[in-house]
Amino acid sequence: MKRTSLAGDECPIARALDVFGDWWSLLIIRDAMLGRRRFGEFQASLGLAKNILTTRLRTLVERGILTTVPAADGSAYQDYVLTPKGRGLFPIMVALRQWSEEFDEHPEEIGTILVDRDKGKPVRKLALYSQDGRLLSAADTMMKPRPKPRRRVVA
Amino acid sequence: MKRTSLAGDECPIARALDVFGDWWSLLIIRDAMLGRRRFGEFQASLGLAKNILTTRLRTLVERGILTTVPAADGSAYQDYVLTPKGRGLFPIMVALRQWSEEFDEHPEEIGTILVDRDKGKPVRKLALYSQDGRLLSAADTMMKPRPKPRRRVVA
DNA sequence: CCATCTGGTTTAATATTGCAACCACACAAG
DNA sequence: CTTGTGTGGTTGCAATATTAAACCAGATGG
């Protein structure tokens, strides 16, 4: 019945999904990264029901991904803009995009590419490196339990 | 009322979400990356309803993320293992993890860290580079329409 | 001031999810 | 061969979520 919450999970992936892992949130965030700010813009772009948009925007604000600011055009309405926490989702968006570019069954249907603003050339694939600069594949990594933070004695 | 499909969308992010953007799929994939293979392992680990797990495993197989193979222990059952397409989701997992590590309200609740197998040290943050090797932030990038593929004349 | 736009809320129908019960098969012990 | 147990599901029902559509109040625009 009720969708199980992942908020208390110790897995950081589950915790992230708990914040924006529903059907629409990431698409709203994507639109926000493309510069959309207004309720109506999101609704027109995504074509989702307005009540759903209302609740999604509200929870994204609650969770610190978006904030509301006075509308840029001076009207009495408000704009929804990304917080730093929201802008921090950019690498996730890039990773999702690159996965589709590499594995989608119909890549010819993909309409856009991500380029660097300076040269207009496609960006490189995201890459994972070790502290000492070696390129790492999944097989070169492993999980370790998080070390307990050193407890500082309160004077 | 049916959940709107994003399959035909031209946005690669939407297309990716259409494949694994529901509540459980990414967690199943995460478990598969941790080496879990059996129905019962997933069910015990995730605590989701068995009927939901059944349908999720089926659609992940349909979509080429998982395949079934004869069980490793020689029993008559089957294992679910990642395909290359599924293993390709690794950077997305890393990006999700690193976002939580950076922005989670309660990072002390995160139980694990990702380290390189060789040295046991935490990995670097995922980074995006231009073709010519410059480190790129979101602001250094932009979207371009995908160039039409050059149509090759069929001999 | 009248009409329309914006940003929602409400309502009712439909879909999805979750839980619990059930079930068939494989396997093992007796 | 017969009973018991674990695995990997299916089925049914109740609870919840999503949707489209109608509605509405305040802002805006002519």
Side-chain angles (χ1 to χ4, degrees):
Chain A
M1 338 155 163
K2 171 176 268 183
R3 170 180 278 180
T4 64
S5 165
L6 304 166
D9 201 291
E10 70 162 24
C11 168
I13 294 166
R15 298 172 76 86
L17 293 180
D18 192 72
V19 176
F20 54 81
D22 63 274
W23 197 245
W24 291 111
S25 290
L26 259 184
L27 295 173
I28 293 169
I29 295 161
R30 175 205 64 179
D31 272 16
M33 286 184 182
L34 292 172
R36 291 193 247 268
R37 311 161 63 92
R38 291 289 282 265
F39 185 97
E41 286 184 288
F42 293 115
Q43 212 255 322
S45 156
L46 297 171
L48 83 173
K50 292 199 293 179
N51 52 350
I52 304 292
L53 179 56
T54 301
T55 66
R56 288 299 178 276
L57 288 173
R58 183 156 44 224
T59 68
L60 287 173
V61 168
E62 278 168 12
R63 290 167 179 186
I65 306 284
L66 295 174
T67 355
T68 54
V69 301
D73 62 1
S75 72
Y77 303 115
Q78 54 187 355
D79 283 359
Y80 296 90
V81 299
L82 289 166
T83 62
K85 185 173 178 176
R87 288 194 296 274
L89 293 165
F90 180 68
I92 294 170
M93 296 292 176
V94 175
L96 288 166
R97 159 178 286 275
Q98 293 186 341
W99 183 82
S100 282
E101 289 169 351
E102 186 167 352
F103 294 103
D104 195 290
E105 301 277 331
H106 296 287
E108 74 280 2
E109 295 178 2
I110 297 175
T112 57
I113 54 178
L114 183 70
V115 301
D116 83 278
R117 189 175 289 276
D118 239 45
K119 299 282 170 51
K121 299 252 195 189
V123 302
R124 284 194 195 165
K125 271 214 68 178
L126 279 178
L128 184 65
Y129 291 94
S130 64
Q131 288 288 4
D132 55 343
R134 284 170 294 119
L135 182 63
L136 299 175
S137 75
D140 301 321
T141 66
M142 53 182 293
M143 309 286 299
K144 256 174 52 172
R146 191 177 64 88
K148 284 246 161 52
R150 183 164 302 278
R151 189 172 301 277
R152 178 176 284 269
V153 178
V154 180
Chain B
M1 299 94 218
K2 171 178 261 179
R3 167 184 279 182
T4 65
S5 166
L6 303 167
D9 201 292
E10 70 162 23
C11 168
I13 294 166
R15 297 172 76 86
L17 292 180
D18 192 71
V19 176
F20 54 81
D22 62 273
W23 197 247
W24 290 111
S25 290
L26 260 184
L27 295 173
I28 293 170
I29 294 161
R30 173 205 65 181
D31 272 15
M33 286 182 181
L34 292 172
R36 292 194 248 270
R37 310 162 64 92
R38 290 291 278 266
F39 185 97
E41 286 184 287
F42 293 114
Q43 213 255 320
S45 156
L46 298 171
L48 83 174
K50 292 199 294 177
N51 52 352
I52 305 291
L53 179 56
T54 300
T55 66
R56 288 299 177 277
L57 288 173
R58 183 155 46 223
T59 69
L60 287 172
V61 168
E62 278 168 12
R63 291 166 178 187
I65 307 284
L66 296 173
T67 355
T68 53
V69 300
D73 63 0
S75 70
Y77 303 114
Q78 54 187 356
D79 284 358
Y80 296 89
V81 300
L82 290 166
T83 61
K85 185 174 179 176
R87 287 194 297 274
L89 292 165
F90 181 67
I92 294 170
M93 296 292 177
V94 175
L96 287 165
R97 160 178 286 277
Q98 292 185 342
W99 182 81
S100 281
E101 288 169 351
E102 186 168 352
F103 294 103
D104 195 291
E105 301 278 331
H106 296 287
E108 73 280 1
E109 294 178 3
I110 297 175
T112 57
I113 52 179
L114 183 69
V115 301
D116 83 276
R117 188 175 290 278
D118 240 45
K119 298 281 170 51
K121 298 252 195 189
V123 302
R124 285 194 195 165
K125 271 213 69 178
L126 280 178
L128 184 66
Y129 291 93
S130 64
Q131 288 288 3
D132 55 341
R134 285 168 294 119
L135 182 64
L136 299 176
S137 75
D140 301 322
T141 66
M142 55 182 291
M143 308 285 298
K144 256 176 50 175
R146 190 176 65 89
K148 284 245 162 52
R150 184 165 301 278
R151 190 173 301 277
R152 178 176 284 270
V153 179
V154 179

